[in-house]
């Protein structure tokens, strides 16, 4: 079989790229290792930057996002018992939208099915070949049979553990990594959110985040130890710990209930350079990971898709490969800024093992500066709502 673009990975970046290509008449096949239901069962990001929302609009999948997404014009930040609000729209003119990654993915799957574009689920043993030539191949096993697709371009959108990055020879890539000495324990519960804004909390017992999906679906996270198992955290223990980390007036209004999902995510910063090797282009978590503080993971995956889509549009529309040539440099310039912001916000809000009294004073002084300085708030808001493409 032959197609123009093979997209490896049916997560948000692969599906968004596929839908954008569909709008300009470029054929793409998506090869996904898991089932649709499995992909939709992964509860992940929740905050969309304006750039991501705009890409979803260009892809024609922003209908439900606009009716069901929650517009957030600011966020609360707390340190122990004190809390202040940071207003995004006042400083940047833009809000963010709270709309779960699961819903984004569902909308993209539905749009893909509606336009009849080909998606192979449960593809095993995916192998990328001949990326240094002009006709790369992607082979995979499906229902016991081996298949090979020949194409012009391979988009590696298969996440951190995918095959795409590993296809780039080790001496042709450099990897930069920082692993944080804690994880996030996240729960989803059918309870009303504790506050209409998100709350990022720095407390003596560690970080906590209060987020939401809708008026009766809350998403909460607490910093936990690296060795913790989600199963060992009872619902009662989770709610108790969360309450200890929030200002008392917030903790007093927290509505608790049974959790419907509970999982632990490790925290890591990671970048692979370059993001292109021959005709293989890496997008999203395949090329980089941020710690989740500040919600940049999904949004940075979307900005990669923007640059790759612009490159492919010029390539297929006017035989101009300059956008593809510049893809890695352009995407990485924005990736590193998202890495910096996520690293900064993680460092500011978490308790680190062996943190000295001096380092705690620095955190406190920086949060106090953020609370009182218009320019510090503007810098934070500019990054949070998303830097321009
Ligand atoms: P993915 O979503 O990882 O999608 C990759 C797809 O490729 C998957 O469907 C996978 O099954 C498929 N795949 C993998 N290997 C192969 C293969 N060999 N062949 C074919 N298909 C393959 N970000 C936030 O902003 N906020 C959060 O709260 C947050 N929480 C997270 C929690 C967890 C546990 C994780 C892992 C990530 C979280 N993120 C969060 C990050 C965010 O979800 C990601 O940045 C986003 O999913 C990236 O999208 P992607 O499409 O690039 O990769
Ligand atoms: C969510 C996750 C984040 O990492 C974040 O910074 C904000 C919100 C969420 O899952 O809702």
């Amino acid at each position: 079989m032959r197609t123009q673009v093979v997209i490896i990975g049916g997560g948000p970046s692969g599906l968004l790229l596929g839908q954008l290509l569909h709008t300009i008449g470029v054929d793409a096949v998506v090869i996904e290792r898991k089932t649709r239901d499995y992909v939709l069962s992964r509860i992940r990001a929740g905050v969309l930057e304006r750039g991501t929302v705009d890409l979803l609009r260009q892809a024609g999948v922003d209908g439900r996002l606009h009716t069901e997404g929650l517009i957030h014009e600011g966020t609360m930040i707390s340190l122990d018992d004190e809390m202040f609000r940071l207003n995004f729209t006042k400083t940047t003119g833009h809000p963010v939208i709270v709309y779960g990654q699961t819903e984004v993915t569902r909308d993209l799957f539905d749009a893909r099915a509606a336009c009849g574009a080909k998606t192979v689920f449960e593809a095993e043993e995916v192998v990328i070949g001949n990326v240094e030539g002009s006709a790369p191949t992607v082979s995979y096993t499906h229902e016991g049979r081996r298949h090979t697709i020949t194409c012009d371009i391979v988009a590696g959108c298969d996440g951190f553990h995918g095959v795409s990055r590993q296809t780039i020879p080790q001496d042709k890539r450099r990897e930069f990594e920082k692993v944080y000495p804690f994880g996030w324990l996240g729960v989803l519960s059918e309870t009303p959110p504790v506050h209409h804004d998100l709350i990022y909390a720095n407390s003596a017992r560690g970080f906590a985040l209060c987020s939401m999906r809708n008026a009766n679906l809350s998403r909460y996270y607490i910093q936990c130890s690296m060795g913790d198992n989600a199963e060992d955290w009872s619902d009662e223990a989770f709610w108790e710990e969360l309450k200890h980390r929030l200002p008392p007036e917030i903790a007093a209004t927290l509505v608790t209930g049974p959790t419907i999902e509970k999982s632990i995510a490790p925290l890591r910063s990671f970048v692979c350079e370059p993001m292109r090797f021959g005709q293989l282009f890496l997008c999203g978590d395949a090329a980089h990971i941020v710690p989740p503080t500040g919600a940049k993971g999904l949004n940075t995956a979307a900005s990669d898709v923007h640059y790759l889509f612009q490159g492919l549009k010029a390539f297929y529309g006017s035989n101009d490969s300059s956008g593809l040539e510049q893809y890695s440099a352009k995407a990485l310039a924005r990736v590193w800024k998202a890495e910096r912001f996520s690293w900064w916000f993680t460092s500011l809000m978490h308790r680190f093992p062996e943190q000295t009294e001096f380092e705690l004073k620095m955190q406190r002084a920086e949060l106090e500066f953020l609370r009182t300085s218009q320019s510090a708030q503007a810098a934070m808001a500019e990054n949070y709502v998303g830097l321009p493409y």
Side-chain angles (χ1 to χ4, degrees), residues 84-217:
F84 64 94
R85 185 165 195 265
L86 203 144
N87 189 320
F88 308 138
T89 36
K90 198 173 80 187
T91 42
T92 68
H94 303 286
V96 291
I97 296 203
V98 170
Y99 188 68
Q101 176 168 336
T102 319
E103 303 313 312
V104 171
T105 313
R106 189 189 306 281
D107 295 343
L108 286 163
F109 271 138
D110 289 350
R112 192 161 179 82
C115 69
K118 185 174 165 77
T119 310
V120 181
F121 290 102
E122 298 182 89
E124 293 166 354
E125 296 153 53
V126 175
V127 176
I128 308 168
N130 194 30
V131 281
E132 289 183 275
S134 58
T137 57
V138 176
S139 306
Y140 58 94
T141 302
H142 185 240
E143 294 176 345
R145 287 187 51 209
R146 197 81 189 141
H147 303 262
T148 297
I149 309 180
T150 307
C151 56
D152 308 320
I153 303 284
V154 180
C157 303
D158 49 354
F160 185 64
H161 300 287
V163 67
S164 300
R165 187 178 67 256
Q166 305 301 338
T167 301
I168 305 179
Q170 273 196 3
D171 62 341
K172 296 280 196 264
R173 64 180 139 103
R174 273 196 77 191
E175 297 182 346
F176 304 83
E177 182 173 50
K178 177 177 173 63
V179 176
Y180 299 83
F182 39 72
W184 275 20
L185 169 63
V187 307
L188 198 61
S189 81
E190 284 169 333
T191 49
V194 69
H195 197 278
H196 57 269
D197 286 328
L198 269 61
I199 303 174
Y200 289 91
N202 176 327
S203 87
R205 298 171 71 116
F207 171 77
L209 168 59
C210 305
S211 184
M212 66 201 70
R213 292 294 176 268
N214 61 46
N216 199 40
L217 194 55

Side-chain angles (χ1 to χ4, degrees), residues 176-181 267-271 289 291 343 347 352:
F176 304 83
E177 182 173 50
K178 177 177 173 63
V179 176
Y180 299 83
L267 267 71
R268 157 193 336 260
S269 300
F270 173 89
V271 180
I289 297 286
W343 160 81
S347 308
F352 287 71

Side-chain angles (χ1 to χ4, degrees), residues 9 12-13 31-33 42 44-45 101 157-158 221 285 295 297-298:
S13 51
I31 309 285
E32 167 57 49
R33 191 176 52 172
R42 293 190 294 224
R44 290 183 174 179
Q101 176 168 336
C157 303
D158 49 354
Y221 300 92
D285 280 18
L298 171 60

Side-chain angles (χ1 to χ4, degrees), residues 347-348 350-360 363:
S347 308
L348 181 65
H350 291 72
R351 291 298 156 121
F352 287 71
E354 331 221 328
Q355 202 165 17
T356 62
E357 287 294 315
F358 179 82
E359 286 161 340
L360 284 169
Q363 265 192 352

Side-chain angles (χ1 to χ4, degrees), residues 217-250:
L217 194 55
S218 298
R219 180 76 168 147
Y220 296 108
Y221 300 92
I222 55 172
Q223 173 185 350
C224 65
S225 298
M226 288 241 266
D228 281 11
N229 285 313
E231 310 82 66
D232 297 338
W233 276 88
S234 67
D235 287 357
E236 293 68 34
F238 179 88
W239 293 123
E240 211 35 51
E241 190 56 40
L242 176 62
K243 280 185 197 166
H244 281 304
R245 298 183 187 196
L246 300 174
E249 72 276 15
I250 300 291

Side-chain angles (χ1 to χ4, degrees), residues 289-318:
I289 297 286
V290 289
T293 334
K296 290 290 153 230
L298 171 60
N299 291 301
T300 310
S303 72
D304 294 349
V305 168
H306 161 79
Y307 294 120
L308 184 54
F309 174 60
Q310 292 305 321
L312 290 170
K313 199 167 154 184
F315 177 68
Y316 283 111
S318 41

